[in-house]
Structures are given as structure tokens and as C-alpha cells.
Amino acid sequence: SVLLLPSSMRAFISFSFNKVSSAYNKVFGNVMPLELDKGTTKSVFNEGISYSDITKYENGYKLTLTNNMVTSLYDGIVVFIGEKEGYGNTIIIQQVDGVDIWYSNINSNVKLYDYIEKGDVLGEVNGNHMYLVIKKGSNNLKYEDYTKA
């Protein structure tokens, strides 16, 4: 039997992509057991987020963008969409390694639990700046260190 929740309740469910992925891999093996032909598709926006200035802001960073389009830095699952105090409209994408990336101050049409690939367009910024927070659990990670990997 399948439990269907009204859409108003779905935002209250806590979902950990990292835990589900780890459990799935233990039972069934790799999430994508088949070899995909990577030559048939190509991301249009693979340059990352273009910015002219970056400054420390609360638990993350404020980026002054040179392009109003915000693209995903890495693959992951959308685990939160909504307002975060001090950041505005926020999308949190959780990667398979358990790292959450907050993309804030953007307008977007992504939906909760969408799978997002690196380079996918998430939306447009309100004005010319956005906020970026990178967390693993309760620890904030440095933008410079994390994006080098």
C-alpha cells in the first residue's frame, strides 16, 4: 500500500538523499548500474556560477553575479524550497556525499525532490546577487575548499 500525502504536508517530511543512496547501494549496488552513453546529451550551462565579487555572509557567502542565471554546482536532490531568514527564497540541493548547497535569493521553478544535474539552470537571481551556503550536517564548509574538489 502507498501513502499519499497532500502537497501541503510534503514540505514537512525530512528526506536525506545521502542515507537513501547509501542504503540503496548496500542492497542493490550502484544507483546507475548501466553504462550511459554520455555523448548523446550535453549541458548548455556548464560554466558554473559567474560572479565578480564574493564576500562572507552569515553562514555562507554573498556573490555579486555577472550573469543572472544560477546553475547547479553539482548533482543532487532538491530537499528544501522556501524562505530562509536573511537569505530569501532558498533551494537546498543535497548531494550523494551528504553535502547540502543552499542557493538563495533566486526565483526558480524546480520542485521538491527533483534530481538536479551539475550545470542545470536553477533559476534567476533577484537583483544581481545571491547567497551560497555549503554545509555537511551542522558544519559550514568553505566555498574555496569545496569547489576545488
Side-chain angles (χ1 to χ4, degrees):
S1 116
V2 176
L3 175 65
L4 296 175
L5 296 174
S7 61
S8 61
M9 292 182 63
R10 290 185 192 141
F12 297 107
I13 298 173
S14 178
F15 179 82
S16 173
F17 179 61
N18 184 36
K19 290 178 184 175
V20 170
S21 178
S22 295
Y24 182 94
N25 287 340
K26 285 179 185 174
V27 175
F28 299 107
N30 193 353
V31 174
M32 295 297 288
L34 303 175
E35 184 65 32
L36 298 176
D37 179 7
K38 297 186 189 293
T40 58
T41 60
K42 184 175 180 178
S43 176
V44 175
F45 297 94
N46 59 4
E47 70 275 356
I49 298 172
S50 300
Y51 59 92
S52 61
D53 187 44
I54 183 170
T55 55
K56 185 84 174 108
Y57 178 83
E58 293 193 19
N59 295 323
Y61 301 90
K62 177 180 177 180
L63 286 75
T64 302
L65 302 186
T66 57
N67 179 346
N68 67 342
M69 298 303 282
V70 177
T71 58
S72 178
L73 297 173
Y74 300 97
D75 297 352
I77 297 289
V78 177
V79 296
F80 177 86
I81 299 173
E83 291 287 318
K84 289 283 189 183
E85 188 175 334
Y87 293 97
N89 190 45
T90 301
I91 299 167
I92 300 177
I93 298 177
Q94 187 176 86
Q95 299 160 189
V96 73
D97 62 0
V99 172
D100 291 341
I101 300 183
W102 298 21
Y103 301 86
S104 299
N105 194 36
I106 66 172
N107 294 318
S108 178
N109 291 323
V110 300
K111 307 237 182 316
L112 195 60
Y113 306 126
D114 278 354
Y115 179 76
I116 304 295
E117 292 183 355
K118 178 180 179 177
D120 282 353
V121 175
L122 300 176
E124 294 184 57
V125 295
N126 294 317
N128 70 341
H129 70 274
M130 68 168 287
Y131 304 105
L132 189 70
V133 177
I134 303 172
K135 297 181 82 141
K136 184 157 188 171
S138 61
N139 298 319
N140 294 312
L141 305 178
K142 289 183 179 179
Y143 172 79
E144 306 85 20
D145 295 341
Y146 191 74
T147 55
K148 279 189 229 175

